[in-house]
Amino acid sequence: MPAPARLGLTGGIGSGKSTVAGLLAGLGALVVDTDAISRGLSAAGGAAIPALRETFGDAFIDVTGALDRASMRELAFRDPGAKRRLEQLLHPLIGQETVRQAALAAEGQMIVFDVPLLVESGRWRALVDAILVVDCSPAAQVERVVRRSGLPPAEVERIIAQQASREQRLAAADAVIHNDGLSIAQLGTEVEALWAGWHGG
Ligand code: ADP
């Protein structure tokens, strides 16, 4: 496969997707992190805050003026309509900022769109030239996320169950990095090998 100009990068929570994004950035790619964009929009002073307050009420905005993520996550889990309204509100804003950041790429620089729910959202397939999936076992996902965030394992399992399955993600992949039983250094070697393959090395 030649180097994709626009690469979609995805993986389940804790798969190591952000780590791979960082490694690709180190090799010269421009990474557009849609999760960071989404967080920025709903942080204090973020562009989505007025609409979030209007739609969900003051109870979902904390004292700092940021979205109260825990309350919103709870609401979205138990109320599909609220989840839909949240997505309808955020998606156009995320889209605009994604386009703005991608336009900053230099001539010939690979753009990596880091999209946690790329497979779930469906609309990304047409926007990228190839999809790279970071794959690992659910057990490794739980272990990493518990270690990173301190969330209880049952909560992590609940998040995993809401995401696409490992099989669904692999079915959408043009390239796969299996991040199981590897050290971070070995993961780096895998990413370098993929990069070298794309660039004829
Ligand atoms: P994601 O973005 O998919 O949620 P991250 O890249 O943030 O995942 O990785 C989750 C956690 O696991 C991070 O703390 C990261 O440093 C760690 N991690 C990822 N891959 C490995 C690995 N191969 N060996 C050890 N730790 C890893």
Side-chain angles (χ1 to χ4, degrees):
M1 174 165 79
R6 301 159 70 88
L7 178 71
L9 170 66
T10 195
I13 184 171
S15 60
K17 179 184 59 63
S18 306
T19 307
V20 169
L23 290 162
L24 289 168
L27 290 166
L30 173 81
V31 175
V32 178
D33 181 341
T34 60
D35 218 23
I37 288 173
S38 175
R39 280 196 306 275
L41 288 167
S42 54
I49 292 296
L52 288 167
R53 191 190 292 279
E54 172 90 358
T55 305
F56 297 103
D58 288 341
F60 287 89
I61 308 297
D62 70 20
V63 289
T64 71
L67 175 68
D68 182 334
R69 280 173 215 291
S71 301
M72 185 51 80
R73 196 163 46 233
E74 247 345 285
L75 179 67
F77 266 126
R78 63 186 155 75
D79 180 349
K83 181 166 184 245
R84 223 170 15 250
R85 285 199 299 283
L86 177 67
E87 287 167 353
Q88 279 165 359
L89 190 162
L90 288 177
H91 278 170
L93 296 172
I94 295 171
Q96 282 167 25
E97 179 59 15
T98 300
V99 167
R100 193 192 68 77
Q101 291 190 16
L104 300 175
E107 180 73 35
Q109 185 178 23
M110 185 190 295
I111 307 173
V112 175
F113 295 95
D114 177 343
V115 187
L117 301 182
L118 185 148
V119 170
E120 291 83 340
S121 89
R123 71 207 160 88
W124 271 97
R125 174 70 270 193
L127 302 175
V128 295
D129 303 309
I131 294 174
L132 171 60
V133 167
V134 184
D135 175 62
C136 78
S137 69
Q141 287 180 272
V142 173
E143 198 245 48
R144 288 185 193 140
V145 178
V146 166
R147 186 149 34 88
R148 177 180 64 186
S149 65
L151 284 176
E155 175 71 16
V156 181
E157 278 159 14
R158 187 167 77 144
I159 295 169
I160 291 172
Q162 296 260 331
Q163 298 186 340
S165 68
R166 191 177 185 184
E167 291 71 25
Q168 285 168 327
R169 232 179 260 110
L170 289 173
D174 298 296
V176 180
I177 288 189
H178 294 286
N179 183 23
D180 240 331
L182 299 182
S183 67
I184 296 273
Q186 286 168 328
L187 179 62
T189 305
E190 292 284 318
V191 173
E192 279 164 23
L194 189 65
W195 184 270
W198 281 332
H199 294 88

